[in-house]
Amino acid sequence: MPRDFVAVARVGDVPAGGGRQVTVEGRWVALFNVGGAYYALDNLCLHRGGPLAEGPIANGTVTCPWHGWQYNIETGMMIQDPRVGVTRHETRIVGDEIQVRLAD
Ligand code: FES
């Protein structure tokens, strides 16, 4: 059975072109705003667990602030090796809430 959507922030809490770490059911999730669209990925970089929510964003890609591994924000797949990636979670806007549903 799919999980429920959970409110994690309000529209405006995550500036355009920025990211923010939120906790969803005990799991660290990076929430990104790319041109007004919201995306959610697991926050921990596959390399050594760097916080992706704190990484710079450019052209739909987030760069891990620790050693520079890069991920497609929409899919979670790694730029340097698209065979692997971090888990992507669904997002939706309800009223002024940003909601996330964790992937299994
Ligand atoms: S922890 Fe992300 S690149 Fe090293």
Side-chain angles (χ1 to χ4, degrees), residues 3-6 23-28 100-102:
R3 297 170 188 253
D4 291 331
F5 278 92
V6 176
T23 303
V24 186
E25 298 174 12
R27 184 164 170 169
W28 285 347
V100 172
R101 175 159 66 190
L102 292 180

Side-chain angles (χ1 to χ4, degrees), residues 45 47-50 64 66-69:
C45 177
H47 182 216
R48 292 190 187 166
C64 177
W66 286 5
H67 316 98
W69 287 23

Side-chain angles (χ1 to χ4, degrees), residues 37-68:
Y38 295 91
Y39 300 95
L41 302 177
D42 271 352
N43 191 46
L44 299 181
C45 177
L46 294 178
H47 182 216
R48 292 190 187 166
L52 297 183
E54 297 175 18
I57 294 171
N59 301 319
T61 297
V62 59
T63 300
C64 177
W66 286 5
H67 316 98

